[in-house]
Amino acid sequence: MVMSRINIVIIGSGAAGLAAAAAASDDGASVLLVERETRLGGRLNQIVDCCFDSDSDNDDDLSRISGPELAFARTSVLRDNGVAILLQTHVLSITSVGGTFQLTLSNRHGIMTVDAEKVILATGSYEQPPRQLGIHGTRPSGVFTAGAAQHYINVFGQLPAQNAVILGSGNISLNLARRLSLEGATVLGVYEPLSEPQASLQTVAECLNDFEIPLHLNHTVTRVFGSERLRAVEVFRTNKNGDPIYGTGGAVKCDSLFLSLNLVSDTDLAESLGVKMCPTTHAPICDQNGMTSLDGLFICGSAAFISTTSSLVSKHGSLVGLSAARHFPHDRTAVKINGSKNFLTFLPQCVDIQNSSGEITVFFRVDTHYNDRTVCLNVNSIDVCTEAFARLRPQETYSITASITSELTAESKVALRLA
């Protein structure tokens, strides 16, 4: 089966993919949204807490909605805009031929081929597999990633634990700790190898302190015990690098261990097309419009950078969707953005000088804690944007938006710095 040519094919329907589809279709592009699950929304469908802003102008509590409600609202907008949607569909391959893209898709109807002028990768991220964490022992049941546990509880309505230990203190882990407590499980402790929690302080207060769940900093799990079902884990203190200090711990009896330490951008499709990769984000290098080194191939959301909030992911998705809708093939000259050593990662990594006039949004993470500092985007020794931050934490993602009024040249110098 061969579908007629589409302006834009978007792969993935999480927060970024939905935002990109809405922005592109609002601008008049014909859009096909491809999703491998049974419904749109991605991880939004696992987040049942009312922590998202609705489109309502009300300031009361009713303006806060859950992830599934947000996904449903955005899906309704896409259907009104005439966006074509393929569910339970897997992308087998993408090839770039003659300035267009040919996608081979597979679903219950068989194999189909789609021709697209442009492709947006909104494939999101995945959790680091348990066996990559260096935890020794057997392979008993009861060891889950935090995302899988959220899916069991919030989608299937099944409680996978009675006495739980959680390794990792990111937003996903802490929300899981609260959810387990609300469903009747006992969370024995949240263990974090580093010296501070990886989630925001507000999340720590709301998810742990309010439920009297202990947080153990500078601790990690090194071994699991059990033949069929997990019965205990081995916990050690860690040094400043997060490595275990042997001889400093002991066993904690539990029936479940939930792991959530690192999220990794899903870049398999991008890598199959041979795009240039960034050594710090481990994702494709892209310009201010979200376009990779391959003309017409865009990337957005967690597939491009790991963000701590869905609002920033949606913001990036909207930016990329609109840029893709208005993109036309042209010879590109990219000017590299140089970041000072204070920045752990930042996006974009370059600016397309043919499309340089207008607003540029830069997403970034810093390397350590800073108080009362100013982030500056500098073009040819002139600060085009300065924004003051009372506090910057390496665990969180921030953004600044600059307006560039003059055209850039191949000799222009663009820099991101901390003042």
Side-chain angles (χ1 to χ4, degrees), residues 324-372:
R326 298 180 178 180
H327 170 73
F328 58 91
H330 61 275
D331 294 330
R332 290 196 295 161
T333 302
V335 174
K336 182 181 177 181
I337 297 178
N338 294 297
S340 67
K341 63 180 182 180
N342 310 103
F343 296 95
L344 191 62
T345 61
F346 59 89
L347 185 87
Q349 295 88 6
C350 60
V351 178
D352 177 10
I353 66 174
Q354 274 75 23
N355 285 320
S356 60
S357 293
E359 288 189 343
I360 294 180
T361 300
V362 179
F363 302 85
F364 63 90
R365 281 189 174 188
V366 292
D367 62 336
T368 188
H369 286 268
Y370 296 99
N371 293 320
D372 298 320

Side-chain angles (χ1 to χ4, degrees), residues 224-243:
V224 296
F225 301 98
S227 54
E228 295 183 2
R229 178 77 187 195
L230 182 71
R231 56 182 177 82
V233 296
E234 184 181 59
V235 175
F236 281 93
R237 291 188 60 84
T238 61
N239 57 26
K240 63 179 181 180
N241 297 320
D243 299 321

Side-chain angles (χ1 to χ4, degrees), residues 53-73:
D53 291 317
S54 71
D55 295 328
S56 170
D57 293 329
N58 297 328
D59 292 328
D60 55 26
D61 291 339
L62 296 178
S63 66
R64 305 291 284 177
I65 61 177
S66 67
E69 289 174 315
L70 179 61
F72 179 80

Side-chain angles (χ1 to χ4, degrees), residues 71-212:
F72 179 80
R74 291 183 173 174
T75 300
S76 299
V77 171
L78 299 187
R79 296 191 189 279
D80 291 341
N81 289 353
V83 173
I85 297 171
L86 288 176
L87 297 174
Q88 293 181 283
T89 301
H90 292 262
V91 180
L92 300 181
S93 66
I94 305 178
T95 55
S96 177
V97 181
T100 62
F101 296 90
Q102 188 174 83
L103 294 86
T104 303
L105 311 178
S106 173
N107 58 24
R108 60 182 179 176
H109 302 295
I111 305 294
M112 66 177 66
T113 302
V114 177
D115 292 331
E117 297 173 4
K118 290 156 280 193
V119 173
I120 299 176
L121 300 177
T123 47
S125 59
Y126 58 88
E127 292 174 287
Q128 190 175 20
R131 283 292 160 180
Q132 292 186 12
L133 301 180
I135 297 176
H136 301 283
T138 55
R139 297 176 65 95
S141 63
V143 180
F144 308 87
T145 63
Q150 276 189 330
H151 199 78
Y152 276 117
I153 299 170
N154 298 335
V155 178
F156 296 145
Q158 301 293 323
L159 184 62
Q162 291 298 325
N163 296 286
V165 166
I166 298 177
L167 177 60
S169 63
N171 287 332
I172 296 176
S173 299
L174 301 199
N175 278 284
L176 174 62
R178 176 174 60 182
R179 190 67 179 157
L180 287 167
S181 296
L182 288 171
E183 294 299 326
T186 300
V187 180
L188 301 172
V190 174
Y191 294 86
E192 169 55 49
L194 301 178
S195 59
E196 58 183 334
Q198 302 305 294
S200 67
L201 299 180
Q202 179 181 352
T203 303
V204 172
E206 293 176 350
C207 295
L208 298 187
N209 299 346
D210 290 353
F211 292 85
E212 298 182 347

Side-chain angles (χ1 to χ4, degrees), residues 46 305 341:
Q46 298 179 193
F305 69 103
K341 63 180 182 180

Side-chain angles (χ1 to χ4, degrees), residues 262-311:
N262 294 313
L263 291 174
V264 182
S265 295
D266 189 346
T267 60
D268 288 348
L269 290 174
E271 291 184 75
S272 71
L273 289 165
V275 301
K276 296 179 180 179
M277 304 294 288
C278 176
T280 55
T281 63
H282 304 291
I285 293 173
C286 62
D287 62 20
Q288 76 274 23
N289 300 310
M291 189 157 66
T292 67
S293 57
L294 179 59
D295 192 75
L297 181 68
F298 296 78
I299 191 164
C300 66
S302 295
F305 69 103
I306 301 300
S307 174
T308 52
T309 62
S310 293
S311 60

